[in-house]
Amino acid sequence: MKPAPFAYTKAKSLDHAIELLARPDGEARLLAGGQSLIATLNMRLSAPQLLIDLNGIGGLAGITVKNGGVEIGAMTRHAEVGRSTDILKHAPLIALAMPHIGHAAIRNRGTLGGSIAFADPAAELPACLLALGGEVVFAGPNGKRTVKADDFFKGLFETALGPRDVLTAIRVPAATSDMRVGFAEFARRHGDYAMVGLAACAQADGKGLGDVRLAYFGVGNTPLRAKKAETKLTEGNIDEAVKALASDLDPPGDVQATKATKKHLAGVLLRRVVKQLMEPPPMGSPP
Ligand SMILES: Cc1cc2nc3c(=O)[nH]c(=O)nc-3n(C[C@H](O)[C@H](O)[C@H](O)COP(=O)(O)OP(=O)(O)OC[C@H]3O[C@@H](n4cnc5c(N)ncnc54)[C@H](O)[C@@H]3O)c2cc1C
């Protein structure tokens, strides 16, 4: 299928993009890497009147490590994030997730901001952001705002972004020597969206783990914290943590797997990820 007709314009600046978005809701859409948007247009799941291209705006891409945090600009391509030594060293969870996102051609065009704004419930980066307790920075007609990842993902493909907001960056805490991260997913083929996936972050606490954050993806309308399992892991009880998933998660069955299969896979992933959390690779080593 071909998309419905639309007008196209290239925003000259962030303010220009926000100005161009001043149309009735749904009439204008931002274009970043186009890897999700163009597919929805071609399938006529969306038919905006105007596409506003963000690709000409300076200052929206790049990776900065400062003040104990890592900031990644919205227009930073997945490929750039994936080969960044700063990401490997200071945001190793994101480094672990990157190779699972689509294929090389998609990672060359797709952007970090597009992935977070699109908020596909089976996508890797929203779950990493949630596991790391990161935040999203965006700008709109009322200025700049920052929203914590825990409050950002609202529903299926729905976020805290308003119709005139432009996501400008995400921020995550920079890794410390005590930070432990883990990542695993099941997908039918490498590069496919996950059937079930898990991104996790914790603080080493003696021989155990503290501040455990487990963010599952592919199991609901948004990435989801498994909070009861987090508590059980903090108490050092892996078997009880796996059992707790029964009440933490209620994944809908889909064309890929039944609810029961997804629940089972969630437990298998938890055991794999706990091993990574307990036996971390030296910081800065390849994921
Ligand atoms: C075959 C295929 C396989 C894929 N597999 C995976 C996968 O395994 N895992 C995964 O996570 N992703 C996967 N993707 C999606 C890919 O990661 C996309 O790049 C990403 O979801 C969207 O990023 P984009 O830059 O292409 O955004 P676009 O497609 O340009 O935009 C997506 C949406 O976000 C909005 N948007 C974009 N940027 C902003 C911004 N700065 N502020 C506000 N709104 C914005 C757009 O208006 C649009 O609604 C796959 C894509 C394809 C085609």
Side-chain angles (χ1 to χ4, degrees):
M1 260 162 79
K2 298 282 180 218
F6 56 84
Y8 165 93
T9 189
K10 206 160 184 170
K12 296 185 189 83
S13 65
L14 184 56
D15 286 345
H16 187 214
I18 294 166
E19 200 184 302
L20 288 165
L21 281 169
R23 287 180 162 235
D25 190 10
E27 280 196 5
R29 279 274 188 292
L30 298 171
L31 172 69
Q35 299 302 296
S36 298
L37 180 63
I38 300 300
T40 64
L41 299 190
N42 286 344
M43 289 187 271
R44 300 215 175 188
L45 296 171
S46 175
Q49 311 272 306
L50 174 68
L51 288 196
I52 304 163
D53 192 343
L54 296 176
N55 285 275
I57 303 179
L60 278 184
I63 298 163
T64 319
V65 184
K66 62 176 180 196
N67 304 329
V70 182
E71 183 167 306
I72 311 175
M75 288 300 290
T76 314
R77 311 280 167 191
H78 299 321
E80 186 185 342
V81 176
R83 57 176 177 258
S84 161
T85 49
D86 276 340
I87 293 294
L88 189 58
K89 188 168 174 196
H90 300 290
L93 178 60
I94 292 178
L96 285 171
M98 288 318 295
H100 296 274
I101 299 178
H103 311 283
I106 291 150
R107 294 196 292 270
N108 281 341
R109 288 302 300 166
T111 66
L112 183 124
S115 180
I116 301 292
F118 193 56
D120 191 305
E124 289 82 1
L125 289 174
C128 290
L129 184 71
L130 186 62
L132 290 167
E135 55 190 26
V136 180
V137 188
F138 52 95
N142 300 320
K144 269 204 165 185
R145 281 176 61 204
T146 300
V147 171
K148 290 199 175 306
D150 283 293
D151 302 320
F152 184 74
F153 301 103
K154 300 281 189 197
L156 190 62
F157 298 105
E158 193 192 335
T159 68
L161 290 173
R164 291 189 63 193
D165 289 330
V166 181
L167 193 157
T168 56
I170 67 153
R171 288 194 203 116
V172 295
T176 61
S177 56
D178 286 341
M179 187 192 274
R180 302 287 182 257
V181 296
F183 184 91
E185 71 174 48
F186 283 105
R188 283 202 178 270
R189 295 169 306 182
H190 185 85
D192 281 1
Y193 275 107
M195 291 157 71
V196 184
L198 172 60
C201 181
Q203 297 297 315
D205 184 6
K207 285 188 178 165
L209 298 170
D211 291 337
V212 180
R213 290 176 68 98
L214 302 171
Y216 275 92
F217 52 104
V219 294
N221 286 345
T222 63
L224 285 173
R225 297 264 307 272
K227 292 195 176 176
K228 294 196 179 80
E230 289 174 358
T231 305
K232 294 294 176 192
L233 277 187
T234 309
E235 292 164 6
N237 200 328
I238 298 170
D239 290 335
E240 286 298 317
V242 171
K243 274 190 208 154
L245 292 176
S247 53
D248 274 331
L249 306 177
D250 187 20
D254 57 29
V255 287
Q256 304 213 61
T258 62
K259 179 194 285 266
T261 303
K262 286 196 171 206
K263 279 194 161 185
H264 171 73
L265 294 178
V268 174
L269 288 179
L270 183 55
R271 290 185 191 281
R272 289 183 186 175
V273 163
V274 168
K275 271 192 192 151
Q276 296 174 36
L277 294 175
M278 301 302 288
E279 295 167 15
M283 263 180 51
S285 65

